[in-house]
Amino acid sequence: MADAEGHPTLAEMDLGRVLAALADPLRRRIVVLLAAEPEGGERPCGSFGLPVTKATRTHHFKVLREAGLIHQTDRGNSRTNRLRRAELEQRFPGLIALIEQEGLPVEA
Amino acid sequence: MADAEGHPTLAEMDLGRVLAALADPLRRRIVVLLAAEPEGGERPCGSFGLPVTKATRTHHFKVLREAGLIHQTDRGNSRTNRLRRAELEQRFPGLIALIEQEGLPVEA
């Protein structure tokens, strides 16, 4: 079962939901930037250069988290994000590589 | 440039549009069934067992066609569909294999 913060287990990850999450260019930007981090690397929500309001930004991170693409951790007054890369590779082999290969989407 | 029927060229295919097209379980069903055909295999729109009205069905095929996933051909009183598999493999390597691996989505 998903935990209290809405992180799904591997078995709960749904391909349709993951694809819908990745269909958005700003969300792909977050994933591409997290994929460029060293294994387990975290970045705070404010570090992705997203040209949107804070509420919209929070929404995009929620979509990614609930699809299973990212793991979020509260760090006092900020929230950090890491890509669930190993789990994603196990559940959907090649998907993150495909997203990375396209590079950073042009900003909306 | 896309042709008169709205089939994009390889260069025009957009990852976001392709992912959005594949986020829908009925559209993934069409892709999985076409992927099971021999290379170049065609199927008419009515052969996919989609539990929707004809207008909705036509919409789903349009989304797939305009994203570049399928090629449609008019055959007199029916329209046939084939997966643009070789082109998709060139543009988005591994994507169709990933969709196939998940198998037929449960019908909506």
Side-chain angles (χ1 to χ4, degrees):
Chain A
M1 218 181 80
D3 67 12
E5 290 83 33
H7 296 102
T9 64
L10 201 65
E12 286 170 335
M13 290 181 189
D14 173 72
L15 180 57
R17 198 159 185 177
V18 166
L19 296 175
L22 293 171
D24 182 272
L26 292 183
R27 293 195 293 260
R28 284 203 305 286
R29 178 182 177 85
I30 295 168
V31 167
V32 170
L33 290 171
L34 287 177
E37 290 288 313
E39 182 64 35
E42 296 184 348
R43 287 178 67 144
C45 296
S47 73
F48 294 87
L50 305 180
V52 294
T53 63
K54 196 174 169 188
T56 300
R57 191 176 80 189
T58 300
H59 165 74
H60 285 310
F61 281 100
K62 180 173 188 275
V63 171
L64 290 169
R65 181 181 74 238
E66 292 184 349
L69 287 155
I70 63 168
H71 190 279
Q72 293 195 298
T73 307
D74 276 323
R75 304 267 183 221
N77 58 357
S78 82
R79 218 170 198 192
T80 62
N81 305 277
R82 69 169 171 80
L83 190 62
R84 295 177 66 178
R85 186 162 201 150
E87 292 165 284
L88 288 163
E89 188 56 26
Q90 192 181 334
R91 183 75 178 78
F92 306 116
L95 180 61
I96 298 302
L98 184 73
I99 302 299
E100 275 188 288
Q101 180 199 281
E102 284 284 300
L104 277 187
V106 177
E107 283 174 45
Chain B
M1 218 182 81
D3 67 11
E5 290 84 33
H7 296 102
T9 64
L10 201 66
E12 286 169 334
M13 290 182 189
D14 171 72
L15 180 58
R17 197 160 187 176
V18 166
L19 295 176
L22 292 172
D24 182 273
L26 292 183
R27 294 196 292 261
R28 284 204 306 285
R29 180 182 176 84
I30 295 168
V31 167
V32 171
L33 290 172
L34 286 177
E37 290 288 312
E39 182 63 36
E42 296 184 348
R43 287 178 66 144
C45 296
S47 74
F48 294 88
L50 305 180
V52 293
T53 63
K54 197 173 166 186
T56 300
R57 191 176 79 191
T58 299
H59 166 74
H60 284 311
F61 281 99
K62 180 173 188 276
V63 172
L64 290 169
R65 181 180 74 238
E66 292 183 351
L69 286 155
I70 63 168
H71 190 280
Q72 293 195 297
T73 308
D74 275 323
R75 305 271 183 217
N77 58 357
S78 82
R79 220 170 196 192
T80 62
N81 306 276
R82 69 168 172 80
L83 190 62
R84 294 176 68 178
R85 184 160 203 152
E87 291 165 286
L88 289 164
E89 188 55 27
Q90 191 181 336
R91 184 76 177 78
F92 306 115
L95 179 61
I96 297 302
L98 184 73
I99 303 298
E100 275 189 289
Q101 180 200 281
E102 284 283 301
L104 277 187
V106 176
E107 284 174 44

